[in-house]
Amino acid sequence: MSRIGKSPITVPAGVSIQVKDNVVTVKGPKGELSQEVNPEITVNVEEGKIELTRPSDAREHRSLHGLYRALINNMVVGVSEGYKKEMELVGVGYRATSTGQVLELALGFSHAIYIKMPKEIKVEAKTERNKNPLIILESADKQLLGQVCAKIRSLRKPEPYKGKGIKFVGEVIRRKSGKSASAK
């Protein structure tokens, strides 16, 4: 039994849900998102709750049940509250500046890196004295936000010896000791 799939999704005030031809559209104060659902999974919207049901207990139906319930829940939370990710640049000379939808990164390469953000994502770069530069990304779409964060992080992953690189705020990097002194 899919415990995730069985639990109903509560719809907060100000959020409207529409189901048409296996496409669930969620509208709210932070935006509008839509997701196509497998035709075998039925979506019922009634009295501020969304419930998903599956036709059988086959392995594929169970996995799809939990998957679409989680995706629709992420959409409801995204359009009502939104998602926010903070990334930190650790390293000497690492800088981040944002102009509109373009993020400029100086990561120790011979050139600056420019990343054009999708219109659904709001980007902000903060730099304070004696603190690491921060990149703050906000969006209603959790999948897109995670994908963009992964792309930014892939430019300079945190390395285990000095901890330099782009990491999420609060992320713990497993550190390694360097060369140990040889015993003679």
Side-chain angles (χ1 to χ4, degrees):
M1 293 269 195
S2 171
R3 293 187 180 141
I4 294 171
K6 281 172 40 178
S7 60
I9 303 166
T10 56
V11 180
V15 175
S16 65
I17 285 102
Q18 187 178 30
V19 181
K20 185 180 180 187
D21 297 334
N22 298 327
V23 176
V24 178
T25 306
V26 182
K27 290 181 187 173
K30 300 260 182 185
E32 178 182 342
L33 296 171
S34 61
Q35 172 70 43
E36 189 173 339
V37 178
N38 191 309
E40 295 176 339
I41 305 293
T42 57
V43 180
N44 302 321
V45 181
E46 51 194 41
E47 299 169 13
K49 289 191 188 276
I50 305 171
E51 289 188 353
L52 282 78
T53 54
R54 62 178 184 247
S56 70
D57 274 345
R59 186 181 189 100
E60 186 181 354
H61 290 154
R62 286 183 305 190
S63 62
L64 291 175
H65 192 207
L67 168 76
Y68 286 119
R69 192 265 179 207
L71 291 177
I72 292 171
N73 186 51
N74 288 344
M75 292 187 336
V76 169
V77 172
V79 297
S80 59
E81 300 166 23
Y83 290 100
K84 182 177 182 179
K85 294 259 188 187
E86 294 184 358
M87 301 179 88
E88 187 177 10
L89 278 69
V90 181
V92 177
Y94 288 11
R95 290 186 317 274
T97 54
S98 63
T99 18
Q101 288 296 97
V102 177
L103 179 67
E104 179 186 352
L105 299 170
L107 300 174
F109 296 118
S110 61
H111 58 283
I113 299 168
Y114 296 93
I115 302 173
K116 184 162 177 16
M117 293 290 157
K119 65 180 184 306
E120 295 91 359
I121 293 184
K122 189 179 142 219
V123 64
E124 181 186 351
K126 281 187 182 177
T127 307
E128 295 179 24
R129 274 181 72 85
N130 299 328
K131 288 191 179 178
N132 293 327
L134 285 176
I135 303 168
I136 300 164
L137 301 164
E138 293 181 50
S139 178
D141 192 346
K142 188 175 185 179
Q143 290 176 333
L144 182 66
L145 185 66
Q147 189 176 359
V148 169
C149 287
K151 177 66 179 166
I152 292 171
R153 182 187 157 105
S154 73
L155 298 172
R156 268 276 196 228
K157 285 189 179 160
E159 53 96 17
Y161 296 102
K162 292 184 179 177
K164 292 168 57 173
I166 302 173
K167 68 181 190 100
F168 292 104
V169 172
E171 180 184 3
V172 178
I173 307 297
R174 288 191 60 199
R175 303 294 294 271
K176 292 181 180 179
S177 60
K179 294 180 190 175
S180 50
S182 60
K184 286 189 177 183

